Amino acid sequence: SPSEPKNSSNTQEQLSEKIKDLELSLPKELWFGFPMQLYQGYWCLSVLLEGIIAFQTHFQPHDTDIILASLPKTGTTWLKSLLFALLNRNKLSHLSELPFNTKNPHELVLHLEIEVFKNSLTNPPDLTQLPSPRLFATHMPYHSLPDSIKTSKCRIVYVCRNPFDTFVSLWHFYLQFEVSKGTSPDKEMMEGYVNKYCAGVSPFGPYEDHVLGYWKESKENPKHVLFIEYEGLKKEPKDHLKKLAEFVGCPFSEEEEKENVIDKIIELCSLKSMKEMEVNKNGKFYVWVENKALFRKGEVGDWSNHLTSSMAKQFDQILEKLKEAGFSF
Ligand code: A3P
């Protein structure tokens, strides 16, 4: 099991074998053709299982670490750019020196289970030399994070988005792979995915477990987890950015406020500005997707252009579970 101490005599091959056995024993589902496994109560894309286990086994948090946590399609790219800008703004003489034109935010802030611990079960990367504060990201639910993170003083920023827009964004994102295989989406196909999603079957889902895990921790331990809503960030970006800067330990100075640095960061990291960056027009960070696919509309309520009322009704089961726990949008 991943919680067992590492046996140094295990070779990468032996461990990979163990993971294959584990994979075989877990319930399976497909998400737009991508295999997923139900691991520790959530649906993880099979290609990520090894990285997840390596992360759980080897990661040693520092108290100064900042970890962005999110479900896919809830504003991860946006928050990566904002956090990167916040933490690096004072190392530069001008904000325009931030490398957003040449590097996509995902390249600047790596996901622990996707990139940092990829293929590293027996040879974990040495992260001790990274300058502090180290900034990482994860899509894993709170309960599945290594205990070392839960007991450390590191800070976790969680971004959450309403389930309707998150689903619609996810739908568009994954549809590109189906379309490239020649599938033409129809209402029936969308209904099928709405059903799956609302039943909890989606990458890193169930949605409500993910949201509630971080939300509860943010209530119990507000110094450990800052809970941000995508919609709130859209509506009041300035207040949110100030709060975010304070939480990660680099508040805006009076001088910065006078010089409108907050507005400048908001503008620089806006969807419009990010879409125009050369690397996002023509670049590719993830092998399987072009950077431009990470930026679509970025609107609150776009779901109403895509979901029928009967599809939207399916989401009641998610909203109910959130409400029962005391959370609502
Ligand atoms: P839509 O598909 O609704 O447009 P993630 O980064 O977690 O994958 O989330 C992707 C969603 O965030 C997409 O939503 C995308 O357009 C939106 N997004 C990306 N960059 C953004 C930004 N700078 N500001 C606001 N929304 C952004």
Short mmCIF file of all heavy atoms in Angstrom, two decimals, residues 70-79 81-82 105-106 139 159 161 165-166 168-170 172-173 230 233-234 266 268-275 293-300 302, ligand 1:
data_model
loop_
_atom_site.label_atom_id
_atom_site.label_comp_id
_atom_site.label_asym_id
_atom_site.label_seq_id
_atom_site.Cartn_x
_atom_site.Cartn_y
_atom_site.Cartn_z
N SER A 70 -7.18 21.91 -6.85
CA SER A 70 -8.41 22.19 -7.62
C SER A 70 -8.88 20.93 -8.31
O SER A 70 -8.11 20.00 -8.52
CB SER A 70 -8.11 23.23 -8.71
OG SER A 70 -7.17 22.69 -9.62
N LEU A 71 -10.14 20.96 -8.70
CA LEU A 71 -10.64 19.97 -9.65
C LEU A 71 -10.31 20.50 -11.04
O LEU A 71 -10.24 21.73 -11.24
CB LEU A 71 -12.16 19.86 -9.53
CG LEU A 71 -12.72 18.87 -8.53
CD1 LEU A 71 -14.22 19.10 -8.37
CD2 LEU A 71 -12.45 17.43 -8.93
N PRO A 72 -10.11 19.61 -12.01
CA PRO A 72 -9.86 20.10 -13.37
C PRO A 72 -11.01 21.01 -13.85
O PRO A 72 -12.18 20.77 -13.55
CB PRO A 72 -9.82 18.82 -14.21
CG PRO A 72 -9.46 17.73 -13.24
CD PRO A 72 -10.07 18.14 -11.93
N LYS A 73 -10.63 22.05 -14.55
CA LYS A 73 -11.54 23.00 -15.21
C LYS A 73 -12.26 23.97 -14.26
O LYS A 73 -13.33 24.50 -14.56
CB LYS A 73 -12.60 22.28 -16.09
CG LYS A 73 -12.08 21.24 -17.03
CD LYS A 73 -10.76 21.54 -17.67
CE LYS A 73 -10.78 22.55 -18.77
NZ LYS A 73 -9.37 22.83 -19.22
N THR A 74 -11.64 24.18 -13.11
CA THR A 74 -12.26 25.11 -12.16
C THR A 74 -11.50 26.43 -12.05
O THR A 74 -11.80 27.26 -11.19
CB THR A 74 -12.34 24.49 -10.75
OG1 THR A 74 -11.01 24.13 -10.35
CG2 THR A 74 -13.23 23.27 -10.70
N GLY A 75 -10.48 26.61 -12.90
CA GLY A 75 -9.70 27.85 -12.85
C GLY A 75 -8.25 27.64 -12.44
O GLY A 75 -7.57 28.58 -12.02
N THR A 76 -7.77 26.42 -12.59
CA THR A 76 -6.39 26.07 -12.20
C THR A 76 -5.36 26.95 -12.92
O THR A 76 -4.45 27.49 -12.30
CB THR A 76 -6.12 24.59 -12.56
OG1 THR A 76 -7.26 23.83 -12.22
CG2 THR A 76 -4.90 24.07 -11.84
N THR A 77 -5.51 27.07 -14.23
CA THR A 77 -4.53 27.82 -15.03
C THR A 77 -4.50 29.28 -14.57
O THR A 77 -3.43 29.88 -14.44
CB THR A 77 -4.94 27.76 -16.53
OG1 THR A 77 -5.37 26.43 -16.84
CG2 THR A 77 -3.79 28.15 -17.43
N TRP A 78 -5.67 29.81 -14.32
CA TRP A 78 -5.79 31.21 -13.86
C TRP A 78 -5.07 31.39 -12.53
O TRP A 78 -4.24 32.29 -12.36
CB TRP A 78 -7.27 31.54 -13.72
CG TRP A 78 -7.61 32.98 -13.49
CD1 TRP A 78 -6.78 34.06 -13.64
CD2 TRP A 78 -8.89 33.48 -13.08
NE1 TRP A 78 -7.47 35.21 -13.33
CE2 TRP A 78 -8.76 34.88 -13.00
CE3 TRP A 78 -10.12 32.89 -12.80
CZ2 TRP A 78 -9.83 35.70 -12.62
CZ3 TRP A 78 -11.18 33.70 -12.43
CH2 TRP A 78 -11.04 35.09 -12.34
N LEU A 79 -5.38 30.52 -11.58
CA LEU A 79 -4.76 30.62 -10.25
C LEU A 79 -3.26 30.39 -10.31
O LEU A 79 -2.50 31.00 -9.56
CB LEU A 79 -5.43 29.62 -9.29
CG LEU A 79 -6.55 30.16 -8.40
CD1 LEU A 79 -6.02 31.21 -7.41
CD2 LEU A 79 -7.67 30.80 -9.21
N SER A 81 -1.32 31.29 -12.72
CA SER A 81 -0.69 32.54 -13.19
C SER A 81 -0.73 33.60 -12.08
O SER A 81 0.26 34.29 -11.85
CB SER A 81 -1.35 33.04 -14.48
OG SER A 81 -2.69 33.41 -14.24
N LEU A 82 -1.84 33.69 -11.37
CA LEU A 82 -1.94 34.70 -10.30
C LEU A 82 -0.94 34.42 -9.18
O LEU A 82 -0.24 35.33 -8.72
CB LEU A 82 -3.36 34.73 -9.73
CG LEU A 82 -4.45 35.30 -10.65
CD1 LEU A 82 -5.83 35.09 -10.04
CD2 LEU A 82 -4.22 36.81 -10.89
N PRO A 105 1.26 28.92 -17.81
CA PRO A 105 1.23 28.79 -16.34
C PRO A 105 1.46 27.36 -15.83
O PRO A 105 2.02 27.15 -14.77
CB PRO A 105 -0.16 29.30 -15.96
CG PRO A 105 -0.53 30.24 -17.06
CD PRO A 105 0.11 29.71 -18.30
N HIS A 106 1.07 26.36 -16.61
CA HIS A 106 1.27 24.97 -16.16
C HIS A 106 2.73 24.57 -16.18
O HIS A 106 3.13 23.63 -15.49
CB HIS A 106 0.45 24.00 -17.02
CG HIS A 106 -1.02 24.14 -16.76
ND1 HIS A 106 -1.64 23.56 -15.69
CD2 HIS A 106 -1.99 24.82 -17.43
CE1 HIS A 106 -2.92 23.87 -15.69
NE2 HIS A 106 -3.16 24.64 -16.74
N HIS A 139 -4.40 18.03 -8.22
CA HIS A 139 -5.84 17.84 -8.42
C HIS A 139 -6.38 16.83 -7.40
O HIS A 139 -7.56 16.48 -7.43
CB HIS A 139 -6.13 17.29 -9.82
CG HIS A 139 -6.11 18.32 -10.91
ND1 HIS A 139 -6.63 19.58 -10.77
CD2 HIS A 139 -5.64 18.26 -12.19
CE1 HIS A 139 -6.48 20.26 -11.90
NE2 HIS A 139 -5.87 19.49 -12.76
N VAL A 159 -9.23 26.29 -5.32
CA VAL A 159 -10.19 27.02 -6.15
C VAL A 159 -11.33 26.08 -6.55
O VAL A 159 -11.12 24.94 -6.95
CB VAL A 159 -9.54 27.69 -7.39
CG1 VAL A 159 -8.88 26.69 -8.32
CG2 VAL A 159 -10.57 28.53 -8.16
N ARG A 161 -15.33 25.87 -8.43
CA ARG A 161 -16.20 26.52 -9.43
C ARG A 161 -17.54 25.81 -9.42
O ARG A 161 -17.58 24.60 -9.13
CB ARG A 161 -15.53 26.38 -10.81
CG ARG A 161 -16.18 27.18 -11.89
CD ARG A 161 -15.48 26.95 -13.23
NE ARG A 161 -15.91 27.93 -14.20
CZ ARG A 161 -15.58 27.92 -15.48
NH1 ARG A 161 -14.80 26.96 -15.95
NH2 ARG A 161 -16.03 28.85 -16.29
N ASP A 165 -20.82 24.95 -14.62
CA ASP A 165 -19.77 25.48 -15.52
C ASP A 165 -18.56 24.56 -15.55
O ASP A 165 -17.90 24.44 -16.59
CB ASP A 165 -19.35 26.89 -15.07
CG ASP A 165 -20.39 27.95 -15.42
OD1 ASP A 165 -21.11 27.77 -16.42
OD2 ASP A 165 -20.49 28.95 -14.69
N THR A 166 -18.27 23.93 -14.41
CA THR A 166 -17.12 23.01 -14.39
C THR A 166 -17.39 21.86 -15.36
O THR A 166 -16.53 21.49 -16.16
CB THR A 166 -16.88 22.45 -12.96
OG1 THR A 166 -16.74 23.55 -12.06
CG2 THR A 166 -15.63 21.60 -12.91
N VAL A 168 -19.42 21.83 -17.98
CA VAL A 168 -19.44 22.29 -19.38
C VAL A 168 -18.01 22.53 -19.89
O VAL A 168 -17.66 22.20 -21.02
CB VAL A 168 -20.34 23.55 -19.53
CG1 VAL A 168 -20.12 24.24 -20.86
CG2 VAL A 168 -21.81 23.14 -19.40
N SER A 169 -17.18 23.05 -19.01
CA SER A 169 -15.79 23.28 -19.39
C SER A 169 -15.07 21.95 -19.63
O SER A 169 -14.34 21.77 -20.61
CB SER A 169 -15.09 24.08 -18.27
OG SER A 169 -13.80 24.42 -18.64
N LEU A 170 -15.34 21.01 -18.74
CA LEU A 170 -14.75 19.67 -18.85
C LEU A 170 -15.21 18.97 -20.12
O LEU A 170 -14.44 18.33 -20.84
CB LEU A 170 -15.19 18.86 -17.62
CG LEU A 170 -14.40 17.65 -17.17
CD1 LEU A 170 -12.98 18.01 -16.83
CD2 LEU A 170 -15.06 17.04 -15.92
N HIS A 172 -16.23 20.39 -22.95
CA HIS A 172 -15.57 20.96 -24.12
C HIS A 172 -14.11 20.51 -24.22
O HIS A 172 -13.61 20.25 -25.30
CB HIS A 172 -15.62 22.50 -24.08
CG HIS A 172 -16.94 23.03 -24.52
ND1 HIS A 172 -17.88 23.49 -23.64
CD2 HIS A 172 -17.49 23.14 -25.75
CE1 HIS A 172 -18.96 23.86 -24.30
NE2 HIS A 172 -18.74 23.67 -25.58
N PHE A 173 -13.48 20.44 -23.08
CA PHE A 173 -12.06 20.08 -23.08
C PHE A 173 -11.85 18.66 -23.59
O PHE A 173 -11.02 18.42 -24.47
CB PHE A 173 -11.50 20.22 -21.65
CG PHE A 173 -10.03 19.99 -21.58
CD1 PHE A 173 -9.14 20.96 -22.04
CD2 PHE A 173 -9.51 18.81 -21.07
CE1 PHE A 173 -7.76 20.76 -21.99
CE2 PHE A 173 -8.14 18.60 -21.01
CZ PHE A 173 -7.27 19.57 -21.47
N TYR A 230 -14.25 30.58 -8.00
CA TYR A 230 -13.98 31.16 -9.32
C TYR A 230 -14.90 32.35 -9.57
O TYR A 230 -14.47 33.41 -10.02
CB TYR A 230 -14.21 30.07 -10.37
CG TYR A 230 -13.96 30.45 -11.83
CD1 TYR A 230 -12.77 30.13 -12.45
CD2 TYR A 230 -14.95 31.09 -12.58
CE1 TYR A 230 -12.54 30.46 -13.78
CE2 TYR A 230 -14.73 31.44 -13.90
CZ TYR A 230 -13.53 31.11 -14.50
OH TYR A 230 -13.31 31.44 -15.82
N LEU A 233 -13.93 35.38 -7.59
CA LEU A 233 -12.70 35.95 -8.13
C LEU A 233 -13.00 36.76 -9.39
O LEU A 233 -12.42 37.83 -9.61
CB LEU A 233 -11.71 34.80 -8.44
CG LEU A 233 -10.33 35.14 -8.95
CD1 LEU A 233 -9.58 36.06 -7.99
CD2 LEU A 233 -9.51 33.87 -9.16
N LYS A 234 -13.96 36.29 -10.19
CA LYS A 234 -14.36 37.03 -11.40
C LYS A 234 -15.03 38.35 -10.99
O LYS A 234 -14.83 39.37 -11.62
CB LYS A 234 -15.39 36.23 -12.22
CG LYS A 234 -14.87 35.08 -13.02
CD LYS A 234 -14.17 35.47 -14.29
CE LYS A 234 -15.08 35.90 -15.43
NZ LYS A 234 -14.33 35.98 -16.68
N ILE A 266 -4.00 41.62 -12.20
CA ILE A 266 -5.30 41.08 -12.65
C ILE A 266 -5.38 41.15 -14.19
O ILE A 266 -5.78 40.19 -14.85
CB ILE A 266 -6.47 41.87 -12.00
CG1 ILE A 266 -6.49 41.58 -10.49
CG2 ILE A 266 -7.81 41.52 -12.65
CD1 ILE A 266 -7.39 42.48 -9.69
N LEU A 268 -2.86 41.39 -16.36
CA LEU A 268 -1.86 40.51 -16.98
C LEU A 268 -2.32 39.06 -17.00
O LEU A 268 -2.09 38.32 -17.97
CB LEU A 268 -0.55 40.64 -16.18
CG LEU A 268 0.64 39.82 -16.66
CD1 LEU A 268 1.11 40.32 -18.03
CD2 LEU A 268 1.79 39.89 -15.66
N CYS A 269 -3.00 38.64 -15.92
CA CYS A 269 -3.42 37.24 -15.83
C CYS A 269 -4.84 37.01 -16.33
O CYS A 269 -5.39 35.91 -16.16
CB CYS A 269 -3.30 36.76 -14.38
SG CYS A 269 -1.63 36.82 -13.76
N SER A 270 -5.44 38.03 -16.93
CA SER A 270 -6.81 37.85 -17.42
C SER A 270 -6.83 36.87 -18.59
O SER A 270 -5.80 36.66 -19.27
CB SER A 270 -7.40 39.20 -17.85
OG SER A 270 -6.73 39.64 -19.02
N LEU A 271 -7.99 36.33 -18.84
CA LEU A 271 -8.12 35.37 -19.94
C LEU A 271 -7.70 36.00 -21.27
O LEU A 271 -6.98 35.41 -22.07
CB LEU A 271 -9.57 34.89 -20.00
CG LEU A 271 -9.87 33.81 -21.04
CD1 LEU A 271 -9.28 32.49 -20.63
CD2 LEU A 271 -11.37 33.65 -21.23
N LYS A 272 -8.14 37.26 -21.46
CA LYS A 272 -7.85 37.96 -22.72
C LYS A 272 -6.34 38.11 -22.92
O LYS A 272 -5.81 37.81 -23.98
CB LYS A 272 -8.53 39.34 -22.64
CG LYS A 272 -8.54 40.11 -23.91
CD LYS A 272 -9.53 41.27 -23.81
CE LYS A 272 -9.34 42.21 -24.97
NZ LYS A 272 -8.46 43.34 -24.69
N SER A 273 -5.67 38.53 -21.85
CA SER A 273 -4.23 38.74 -21.95
C SER A 273 -3.50 37.40 -22.13
O SER A 273 -2.60 37.27 -22.96
CB SER A 273 -3.77 39.48 -20.69
OG SER A 273 -2.52 39.08 -20.26
N MET A 274 -3.93 36.39 -21.39
CA MET A 274 -3.25 35.08 -21.48
C MET A 274 -3.43 34.45 -22.86
O MET A 274 -2.52 33.82 -23.39
CB MET A 274 -3.79 34.13 -20.40
CG MET A 274 -3.22 34.40 -19.05
SD MET A 274 -1.45 33.95 -19.00
CE MET A 274 -0.93 34.84 -17.57
N LYS A 275 -4.63 34.64 -23.43
CA LYS A 275 -4.88 34.09 -24.77
C LYS A 275 -3.94 34.68 -25.82
O LYS A 275 -3.61 34.07 -26.80
CB LYS A 275 -6.32 34.41 -25.19
CG LYS A 275 -7.32 33.34 -24.83
CD LYS A 275 -8.67 33.68 -25.47
CE LYS A 275 -9.67 32.58 -25.23
NZ LYS A 275 -10.99 32.86 -25.77
N ALA A 293 -6.10 25.25 -25.93
CA ALA A 293 -7.30 24.56 -25.44
C ALA A 293 -7.55 24.83 -23.95
O ALA A 293 -8.61 24.50 -23.42
CB ALA A 293 -7.15 23.05 -25.66
N LEU A 294 -6.59 25.42 -23.27
CA LEU A 294 -6.76 25.70 -21.84
C LEU A 294 -7.52 26.99 -21.60
O LEU A 294 -7.87 27.33 -20.47
CB LEU A 294 -5.38 25.79 -21.16
CG LEU A 294 -4.52 24.53 -21.25
CD1 LEU A 294 -3.07 24.83 -20.94
CD2 LEU A 294 -5.05 23.46 -20.30
N PHE A 295 -7.72 27.75 -22.67
CA PHE A 295 -8.39 29.04 -22.54
C PHE A 295 -9.61 29.03 -23.45
O PHE A 295 -9.47 28.95 -24.67
CB PHE A 295 -7.44 30.18 -22.95
CG PHE A 295 -6.13 30.14 -22.22
CD1 PHE A 295 -5.03 29.47 -22.75
CD2 PHE A 295 -5.98 30.74 -20.98
CE1 PHE A 295 -3.82 29.40 -22.08
CE2 PHE A 295 -4.78 30.69 -20.29
CZ PHE A 295 -3.69 30.01 -20.85
N ARG A 296 -10.78 29.12 -22.87
CA ARG A 296 -11.98 29.08 -23.72
C ARG A 296 -12.73 30.38 -23.50
O ARG A 296 -12.30 31.43 -23.93
CB ARG A 296 -12.81 27.83 -23.39
CG ARG A 296 -13.78 27.39 -24.48
CD ARG A 296 -14.55 26.13 -24.06
NE ARG A 296 -15.33 26.35 -22.85
CZ ARG A 296 -16.61 26.69 -22.83
NH1 ARG A 296 -17.28 26.82 -23.94
NH2 ARG A 296 -17.24 26.88 -21.67
N LYS A 297 -13.84 30.33 -22.75
CA LYS A 297 -14.64 31.55 -22.56
C LYS A 297 -14.40 32.21 -21.21
O LYS A 297 -14.47 33.42 -21.08
CB LYS A 297 -16.12 31.19 -22.65
CG LYS A 297 -16.68 31.07 -24.03
CD LYS A 297 -18.15 30.86 -23.84
CE LYS A 297 -18.97 30.93 -25.08
NZ LYS A 297 -20.39 30.63 -24.75
N GLY A 298 -14.22 31.38 -20.20
CA GLY A 298 -14.00 31.90 -18.86
C GLY A 298 -15.17 32.72 -18.33
O GLY A 298 -14.98 33.72 -17.66
N GLU A 299 -16.39 32.27 -18.65
CA GLU A 299 -17.56 33.03 -18.20
C GLU A 299 -18.30 32.29 -17.10
O GLU A 299 -18.33 31.06 -17.08
CB GLU A 299 -18.53 33.23 -19.37
CG GLU A 299 -18.07 34.34 -20.27
CD GLU A 299 -18.89 34.41 -21.56
OE1 GLU A 299 -19.95 33.74 -21.65
OE2 GLU A 299 -18.43 35.11 -22.47
N VAL A 300 -18.96 33.06 -16.25
CA VAL A 300 -19.80 32.44 -15.23
C VAL A 300 -21.19 32.28 -15.85
O VAL A 300 -21.75 33.23 -16.40
CB VAL A 300 -19.87 33.33 -13.96
CG1 VAL A 300 -20.84 32.75 -12.94
CG2 VAL A 300 -18.48 33.49 -13.35
N ASP A 302 -21.99 30.10 -18.34
CA ASP A 302 -22.00 29.62 -19.73
C ASP A 302 -22.77 28.31 -19.88
O ASP A 302 -23.26 27.96 -20.95
CB ASP A 302 -20.55 29.45 -20.23
CG ASP A 302 -20.47 28.98 -21.68
OD1 ASP A 302 -21.21 29.55 -22.51
OD2 ASP A 302 -19.72 28.03 -21.97
P1 A3P B 1 -14.30 27.63 -19.70
O1 A3P B 1 -14.13 26.33 -20.39
O2 A3P B 1 -15.62 27.78 -19.01
O3 A3P B 1 -14.02 28.80 -20.58
P2 A3P B 1 -8.60 24.91 -15.66
O4 A3P B 1 -7.55 25.95 -15.78
O5 A3P B 1 -8.82 24.44 -14.26
O6 A3P B 1 -8.42 23.82 -16.64
O7 A3P B 1 -9.98 25.64 -15.99
C1 A3P B 1 -10.29 26.00 -17.31
C2 A3P B 1 -11.36 27.04 -17.30
O8 A3P B 1 -10.81 28.28 -16.80
C3 A3P B 1 -11.84 27.34 -18.70
O9 A3P B 1 -13.20 27.73 -18.53
C4 A3P B 1 -10.96 28.50 -19.12
O10 A3P B 1 -11.46 29.26 -20.17
C5 A3P B 1 -10.90 29.27 -17.82
N1 A3P B 1 -9.73 30.13 -17.72
C6 A3P B 1 -8.47 29.89 -18.16
N2 A3P B 1 -7.68 30.93 -17.91
C7 A3P B 1 -8.46 31.86 -17.32
C8 A3P B 1 -8.20 33.20 -16.86
N3 A3P B 1 -7.01 33.75 -16.97
N4 A3P B 1 -9.24 33.88 -16.32
C9 A3P B 1 -10.47 33.32 -16.20
N5 A3P B 1 -10.76 32.08 -16.63
C10 A3P B 1 -9.77 31.36 -17.19
#
